[in-house]
Amino acid sequence: MREKTERIVREWGDACDAEVSIAVLGGAWKPSILSLLGEHDVLRFGELSRLLDEPTARVLTRQLRELEDDGLLIRTVYRQVPPKVEYRLSDLGRGSMPLVEALTDWGGRYAAHQRRGLARTAAEPETLDELESADAR
């Protein structure tokens, strides 16, 4: 477990279980990494990078290490040339899939709601001058 996660689990108590979830699953690419591994079972670094629309190697490496340190991923290194590294979900990682799927579902509904609001705003006059011009016509 990462030091940050351990501190949160130890110090925050039961009232903040949602915060523990966010601390473990929150990150630029973590939900997407978990979703892809849930879908594909095993992926290599390059495959993950391409499927994620190529985040920087540094960011992807950091996210993968955090997920591994928190016990959600299993990283297998094959000693060969060139080195081969595979990632798969651990049992704990598979257990997070209903939450990741719920977040994905909610995110899609939220984005659709916001897009509708943006479309309405774009269709409305933006300034008082435009409103007055429209009324004068």
Side-chain angles (χ1 to χ4, degrees):
M1 179 177 354
R2 285 183 299 146
E3 186 178 317
K4 175 185 175 186
T5 307
E6 182 180 341
R7 183 175 21 82
I8 290 168
V9 167
R10 192 174 349 97
E11 296 174 5
W12 287 16
D14 292 341
C16 297
D17 288 346
E19 292 295 331
V20 173
S21 299
I22 298 301
V24 173
L25 298 175
W29 299 98
K30 288 180 184 179
S32 297
I33 291 168
L34 293 170
S35 291
L36 286 170
L37 287 171
E39 195 177 313
H40 295 276
D41 293 327
V42 176
L43 289 169
R44 294 176 63 184
F45 185 90
E47 294 169 325
L48 274 166
S49 181
R50 282 187 295 283
L51 290 167
L52 291 169
D53 201 19
E54 308 206 20
T56 65
R58 180 176 178 261
V59 168
L60 181 55
T61 298
R62 186 176 67 237
Q63 298 290 285
L64 288 166
R65 282 187 185 148
E66 288 180 8
L67 287 167
E68 181 185 10
D69 289 346
D70 284 336
L72 277 70
L73 292 186
I74 297 170
R75 179 178 181 259
T76 306
V77 179
Y78 297 92
R79 301 195 184 278
Q80 63 184 51
V81 179
K84 177 180 171 183
V85 179
E86 293 180 339
Y87 298 92
R88 68 177 38 86
L89 293 176
S90 66
D91 289 341
L92 197 55
R94 280 190 292 282
S96 74
M97 293 313 297
L99 179 56
V100 172
E101 290 164 2
L103 285 169
T104 301
D105 183 50
W106 182 85
R109 289 193 320 269
Y110 176 82
H113 172 78
Q114 294 297 355
R115 284 186 201 107
R116 285 191 301 273
L118 291 170
R120 280 192 303 272
T121 302
E124 296 172 0
E126 292 183 22
T127 65
L128 185 56
D129 291 339
E130 288 178 17
L131 277 171
E132 290 171 352
S133 304
D135 287 344
R137 290 185 217 152

PDB file of all heavy atoms in Angstrom, residues 9-33:
ATOM      1  N   VAL A   9      -6.036   5.541   5.390  1.00  0.00           N
ATOM      2  CA  VAL A   9      -6.756   4.416   5.990  1.00  0.00           C
ATOM      3  C   VAL A   9      -6.591   4.428   7.511  1.00  0.00           C
ATOM      4  O   VAL A   9      -7.547   4.222   8.257  1.00  0.00           O
ATOM      5  CB  VAL A   9      -6.261   3.076   5.394  1.00  0.00           C
ATOM      6  CG1 VAL A   9      -6.757   1.891   6.197  1.00  0.00           C
ATOM      7  CG2 VAL A   9      -6.686   2.959   3.931  1.00  0.00           C
ATOM      8  N   ARG A  10      -5.386   4.703   7.967  1.00  0.00           N
ATOM      9  CA  ARG A  10      -5.097   4.649   9.399  1.00  0.00           C
ATOM     10  C   ARG A  10      -5.708   5.823  10.161  1.00  0.00           C
ATOM     11  O   ARG A  10      -6.261   5.654  11.239  1.00  0.00           O
ATOM     12  CB  ARG A  10      -3.582   4.638   9.611  1.00  0.00           C
ATOM     13  CG  ARG A  10      -3.150   4.305  11.013  1.00  0.00           C
ATOM     14  CD  ARG A  10      -1.654   4.144  11.242  1.00  0.00           C
ATOM     15  NE  ARG A  10      -0.780   4.082  10.093  1.00  0.00           N
ATOM     16  CZ  ARG A  10      -0.107   5.144   9.597  1.00  0.00           C
ATOM     17  NH1 ARG A  10      -0.203   6.315  10.146  1.00  0.00           N
ATOM     18  NH2 ARG A  10       0.676   5.001   8.548  1.00  0.00           N
ATOM     19  N   GLU A  11      -5.653   7.023   9.582  1.00  0.00           N
ATOM     20  CA  GLU A  11      -5.986   8.225  10.337  1.00  0.00           C
ATOM     21  C   GLU A  11      -7.407   8.749  10.142  1.00  0.00           C
ATOM     22  O   GLU A  11      -7.920   9.433  11.003  1.00  0.00           O
ATOM     23  CB  GLU A  11      -4.995   9.347   9.992  1.00  0.00           C
ATOM     24  CG  GLU A  11      -3.574   9.029  10.398  1.00  0.00           C
ATOM     25  CD  GLU A  11      -2.580  10.071   9.929  1.00  0.00           C
ATOM     26  OE1 GLU A  11      -3.011  11.108   9.351  1.00  0.00           O
ATOM     27  OE2 GLU A  11      -1.373   9.856  10.110  1.00  0.00           O
ATOM     28  N   TRP A  12      -8.052   8.467   9.044  1.00  0.00           N
ATOM     29  CA  TRP A  12      -9.304   9.140   8.746  1.00  0.00           C
ATOM     30  C   TRP A  12     -10.524   8.483   9.347  1.00  0.00           C
ATOM     31  O   TRP A  12     -11.558   9.101   9.466  1.00  0.00           O
ATOM     32  CB  TRP A  12      -9.485   9.294   7.246  1.00  0.00           C
ATOM     33  CG  TRP A  12      -8.595  10.339   6.664  1.00  0.00           C
ATOM     34  CD1 TRP A  12      -7.498  10.897   7.251  1.00  0.00           C
ATOM     35  CD2 TRP A  12      -8.708  10.942   5.392  1.00  0.00           C
ATOM     36  NE1 TRP A  12      -6.921  11.803   6.404  1.00  0.00           N
ATOM     37  CE2 TRP A  12      -7.648  11.852   5.249  1.00  0.00           C
ATOM     38  CE3 TRP A  12      -9.604  10.793   4.345  1.00  0.00           C
ATOM     39  CZ2 TRP A  12      -7.470  12.616   4.126  1.00  0.00           C
ATOM     40  CZ3 TRP A  12      -9.417  11.559   3.210  1.00  0.00           C
ATOM     41  CH2 TRP A  12      -8.361  12.459   3.114  1.00  0.00           C
ATOM     42  N   GLY A  13     -10.465   7.233   9.689  1.00  0.00           N
ATOM     43  CA  GLY A  13     -11.615   6.573  10.297  1.00  0.00           C
ATOM     44  C   GLY A  13     -12.687   6.199   9.283  1.00  0.00           C
ATOM     45  O   GLY A  13     -12.610   6.519   8.104  1.00  0.00           O
ATOM     46  N   ASP A  14     -13.728   5.531   9.791  1.00  0.00           N
ATOM     47  CA  ASP A  14     -14.787   5.007   8.925  1.00  0.00           C
ATOM     48  C   ASP A  14     -15.643   6.069   8.264  1.00  0.00           C
ATOM     49  O   ASP A  14     -16.288   5.802   7.262  1.00  0.00           O
ATOM     50  CB  ASP A  14     -15.702   4.078   9.735  1.00  0.00           C
ATOM     51  CG  ASP A  14     -14.969   2.803  10.142  1.00  0.00           C
ATOM     52  OD1 ASP A  14     -13.938   2.494   9.518  1.00  0.00           O
ATOM     53  OD2 ASP A  14     -15.440   2.145  11.074  1.00  0.00           O
ATOM     54  N   ALA A  15     -15.680   7.260   8.807  1.00  0.00           N
ATOM     55  CA  ALA A  15     -16.547   8.300   8.262  1.00  0.00           C
ATOM     56  C   ALA A  15     -16.100   8.755   6.868  1.00  0.00           C
ATOM     57  O   ALA A  15     -16.849   9.403   6.163  1.00  0.00           O
ATOM     58  CB  ALA A  15     -16.590   9.492   9.201  1.00  0.00           C
ATOM     59  N   CYS A  16     -14.906   8.394   6.483  1.00  0.00           N
ATOM     60  CA  CYS A  16     -14.361   8.895   5.220  1.00  0.00           C
ATOM     61  C   CYS A  16     -14.057   7.779   4.218  1.00  0.00           C
ATOM     62  O   CYS A  16     -13.105   7.873   3.456  1.00  0.00           O
ATOM     63  CB  CYS A  16     -13.106   9.708   5.495  1.00  0.00           C
ATOM     64  SG  CYS A  16     -13.405  11.165   6.476  1.00  0.00           S
ATOM     65  N   ASP A  17     -14.848   6.711   4.224  1.00  0.00           N
ATOM     66  CA  ASP A  17     -14.590   5.603   3.308  1.00  0.00           C
ATOM     67  C   ASP A  17     -14.637   6.039   1.843  1.00  0.00           C
ATOM     68  O   ASP A  17     -13.884   5.530   1.015  1.00  0.00           O
ATOM     69  CB  ASP A  17     -15.565   4.463   3.549  1.00  0.00           C
ATOM     70  CG  ASP A  17     -15.266   3.718   4.849  1.00  0.00           C
ATOM     71  OD1 ASP A  17     -14.166   3.910   5.404  1.00  0.00           O
ATOM     72  OD2 ASP A  17     -16.132   2.957   5.304  1.00  0.00           O
ATOM     73  N   ALA A  18     -15.505   6.981   1.522  1.00  0.00           N
ATOM     74  CA  ALA A  18     -15.554   7.480   0.146  1.00  0.00           C
ATOM     75  C   ALA A  18     -14.236   8.156  -0.221  1.00  0.00           C
ATOM     76  O   ALA A  18     -13.757   8.027  -1.351  1.00  0.00           O
ATOM     77  CB  ALA A  18     -16.714   8.458  -0.035  1.00  0.00           C
ATOM     78  N   GLU A  19     -13.634   8.852   0.732  1.00  0.00           N
ATOM     79  CA  GLU A  19     -12.348   9.506   0.482  1.00  0.00           C
ATOM     80  C   GLU A  19     -11.238   8.482   0.252  1.00  0.00           C
ATOM     81  O   GLU A  19     -10.334   8.718  -0.538  1.00  0.00           O
ATOM     82  CB  GLU A  19     -11.976  10.439   1.636  1.00  0.00           C
ATOM     83  CG  GLU A  19     -12.871  11.646   1.748  1.00  0.00           C
ATOM     84  CD  GLU A  19     -12.770  12.583   0.541  1.00  0.00           C
ATOM     85  OE1 GLU A  19     -11.699  12.653  -0.098  1.00  0.00           O
ATOM     86  OE2 GLU A  19     -13.778  13.236   0.243  1.00  0.00           O
ATOM     87  N   VAL A  20     -11.312   7.351   0.946  1.00  0.00           N
ATOM     88  CA  VAL A  20     -10.338   6.284   0.719  1.00  0.00           C
ATOM     89  C   VAL A  20     -10.477   5.797  -0.730  1.00  0.00           C
ATOM     90  O   VAL A  20      -9.477   5.637  -1.439  1.00  0.00           O
ATOM     91  CB  VAL A  20     -10.523   5.118   1.716  1.00  0.00           C
ATOM     92  CG1 VAL A  20      -9.620   3.943   1.348  1.00  0.00           C
ATOM     93  CG2 VAL A  20     -10.252   5.586   3.138  1.00  0.00           C
ATOM     94  N   SER A  21     -11.701   5.599  -1.170  1.00  0.00           N
ATOM     95  CA  SER A  21     -11.935   5.167  -2.550  1.00  0.00           C
ATOM     96  C   SER A  21     -11.356   6.164  -3.542  1.00  0.00           C
ATOM     97  O   SER A  21     -10.691   5.773  -4.508  1.00  0.00           O
ATOM     98  CB  SER A  21     -13.438   5.011  -2.821  1.00  0.00           C
ATOM     99  OG  SER A  21     -13.996   4.049  -1.978  1.00  0.00           O
ATOM    100  N   ILE A  22     -11.600   7.436  -3.300  1.00  0.00           N
ATOM    101  CA  ILE A  22     -11.083   8.483  -4.197  1.00  0.00           C
ATOM    102  C   ILE A  22      -9.561   8.512  -4.165  1.00  0.00           C
ATOM    103  O   ILE A  22      -8.909   8.671  -5.197  1.00  0.00           O
ATOM    104  CB  ILE A  22     -11.677   9.860  -3.829  1.00  0.00           C
ATOM    105  CG1 ILE A  22     -13.187   9.870  -4.000  1.00  0.00           C
ATOM    106  CG2 ILE A  22     -11.017  10.975  -4.629  1.00  0.00           C
ATOM    107  CD1 ILE A  22     -13.684   9.546  -5.393  1.00  0.00           C
ATOM    108  N   ALA A  23      -8.965   8.338  -2.982  1.00  0.00           N
ATOM    109  CA  ALA A  23      -7.504   8.349  -2.870  1.00  0.00           C
ATOM    110  C   ALA A  23      -6.884   7.203  -3.672  1.00  0.00           C
ATOM    111  O   ALA A  23      -5.848   7.373  -4.306  1.00  0.00           O
ATOM    112  CB  ALA A  23      -7.087   8.251  -1.403  1.00  0.00           C
ATOM    113  N   VAL A  24      -7.533   6.044  -3.657  1.00  0.00           N
ATOM    114  CA  VAL A  24      -6.990   4.880  -4.357  1.00  0.00           C
ATOM    115  C   VAL A  24      -7.311   4.934  -5.849  1.00  0.00           C
ATOM    116  O   VAL A  24      -6.453   4.676  -6.686  1.00  0.00           O
ATOM    117  CB  VAL A  24      -7.527   3.566  -3.742  1.00  0.00           C
ATOM    118  CG1 VAL A  24      -7.094   2.358  -4.565  1.00  0.00           C
ATOM    119  CG2 VAL A  24      -7.044   3.431  -2.305  1.00  0.00           C
ATOM    120  N   LEU A  25      -8.533   5.295  -6.202  1.00  0.00           N
ATOM    121  CA  LEU A  25      -8.971   5.243  -7.604  1.00  0.00           C
ATOM    122  C   LEU A  25      -8.812   6.557  -8.352  1.00  0.00           C
ATOM    123  O   LEU A  25      -8.885   6.577  -9.575  1.00  0.00           O
ATOM    124  CB  LEU A  25     -10.437   4.814  -7.675  1.00  0.00           C
ATOM    125  CG  LEU A  25     -10.754   3.430  -7.133  1.00  0.00           C
ATOM    126  CD1 LEU A  25     -12.257   3.187  -7.165  1.00  0.00           C
ATOM    127  CD2 LEU A  25     -10.014   2.360  -7.891  1.00  0.00           C
ATOM    128  N   GLY A  26      -8.631   7.639  -7.612  1.00  0.00           N
ATOM    129  CA  GLY A  26      -8.522   8.947  -8.254  1.00  0.00           C
ATOM    130  C   GLY A  26      -7.176   9.134  -8.917  1.00  0.00           C
ATOM    131  O   GLY A  26      -6.145   8.748  -8.384  1.00  0.00           O
ATOM    132  N   GLY A  27      -7.188   9.701 -10.070  1.00  0.00           N
ATOM    133  CA  GLY A  27      -5.957   9.958 -10.807  1.00  0.00           C
ATOM    134  C   GLY A  27      -6.295  10.186 -12.255  1.00  0.00           C
ATOM    135  O   GLY A  27      -7.375   9.824 -12.724  1.00  0.00           O
ATOM    136  N   ALA A  28      -5.353  10.755 -12.953  1.00  0.00           N
ATOM    137  CA  ALA A  28      -5.604  11.132 -14.338  1.00  0.00           C
ATOM    138  C   ALA A  28      -6.043   9.948 -15.201  1.00  0.00           C
ATOM    139  O   ALA A  28      -6.880  10.102 -16.077  1.00  0.00           O
ATOM    140  CB  ALA A  28      -4.349  11.766 -14.931  1.00  0.00           C
ATOM    141  N   TRP A  29      -5.508   8.767 -14.955  1.00  0.00           N
ATOM    142  CA  TRP A  29      -5.776   7.637 -15.837  1.00  0.00           C
ATOM    143  C   TRP A  29      -6.228   6.382 -15.111  1.00  0.00           C
ATOM    144  O   TRP A  29      -6.509   5.368 -15.748  1.00  0.00           O
ATOM    145  CB  TRP A  29      -4.506   7.316 -16.643  1.00  0.00           C
ATOM    146  CG  TRP A  29      -4.082   8.445 -17.502  1.00  0.00           C
ATOM    147  CD1 TRP A  29      -3.121   9.380 -17.219  1.00  0.00           C
ATOM    148  CD2 TRP A  29      -4.603   8.805 -18.784  1.00  0.00           C
ATOM    149  NE1 TRP A  29      -3.018  10.275 -18.248  1.00  0.00           N
ATOM    150  CE2 TRP A  29      -3.911   9.949 -19.218  1.00  0.00           C
ATOM    151  CE3 TRP A  29      -5.594   8.264 -19.600  1.00  0.00           C
ATOM    152  CZ2 TRP A  29      -4.174  10.558 -20.437  1.00  0.00           C
ATOM    153  CZ3 TRP A  29      -5.852   8.875 -20.814  1.00  0.00           C
ATOM    154  CH2 TRP A  29      -5.149  10.011 -21.218  1.00  0.00           C
ATOM    155  N   LYS A  30      -6.290   6.386 -13.791  1.00  0.00           N
ATOM    156  CA  LYS A  30      -6.563   5.156 -13.037  1.00  0.00           C
ATOM    157  C   LYS A  30      -7.878   4.482 -13.403  1.00  0.00           C
ATOM    158  O   LYS A  30      -7.889   3.274 -13.684  1.00  0.00           O
ATOM    159  CB  LYS A  30      -6.489   5.411 -11.537  1.00  0.00           C
ATOM    160  CG  LYS A  30      -5.072   5.623 -11.049  1.00  0.00           C
ATOM    161  CD  LYS A  30      -5.053   5.874  -9.562  1.00  0.00           C
ATOM    162  CE  LYS A  30      -3.667   6.173  -9.062  1.00  0.00           C
ATOM    163  NZ  LYS A  30      -3.661   6.434  -7.616  1.00  0.00           N
ATOM    164  N   PRO A  31      -9.003   5.188 -13.433  1.00  0.00           N
ATOM    165  CA  PRO A  31     -10.245   4.491 -13.815  1.00  0.00           C
ATOM    166  C   PRO A  31     -10.177   3.900 -15.223  1.00  0.00           C
ATOM    167  O   PRO A  31     -10.663   2.790 -15.457  1.00  0.00           O
ATOM    168  CB  PRO A  31     -11.320   5.581 -13.717  1.00  0.00           C
ATOM    169  CG  PRO A  31     -10.756   6.573 -12.747  1.00  0.00           C
ATOM    170  CD  PRO A  31      -9.276   6.570 -13.008  1.00  0.00           C
ATOM    171  N   SER A  32      -9.536   4.612 -16.131  1.00  0.00           N
ATOM    172  CA  SER A  32      -9.413   4.101 -17.505  1.00  0.00           C
ATOM    173  C   SER A  32      -8.506   2.884 -17.567  1.00  0.00           C
ATOM    174  O   SER A  32      -8.791   1.922 -18.288  1.00  0.00           O
ATOM    175  CB  SER A  32      -8.873   5.200 -18.426  1.00  0.00           C
ATOM    176  OG  SER A  32      -9.781   6.270 -18.480  1.00  0.00           O
ATOM    177  N   ILE A  33      -7.413   2.900 -16.808  1.00  0.00           N
ATOM    178  CA  ILE A  33      -6.510   1.746 -16.754  1.00  0.00           C
ATOM    179  C   ILE A  33      -7.265   0.531 -16.223  1.00  0.00           C
ATOM    180  O   ILE A  33      -7.206  -0.556 -16.799  1.00  0.00           O
ATOM    181  CB  ILE A  33      -5.285   2.054 -15.869  1.00  0.00           C
ATOM    182  CG1 ILE A  33      -4.385   3.101 -16.528  1.00  0.00           C
ATOM    183  CG2 ILE A  33      -4.497   0.772 -15.559  1.00  0.00           C
ATOM    184  CD1 ILE A  33      -3.320   3.686 -15.606  1.00  0.00           C
TER     185      ILE A  33
END
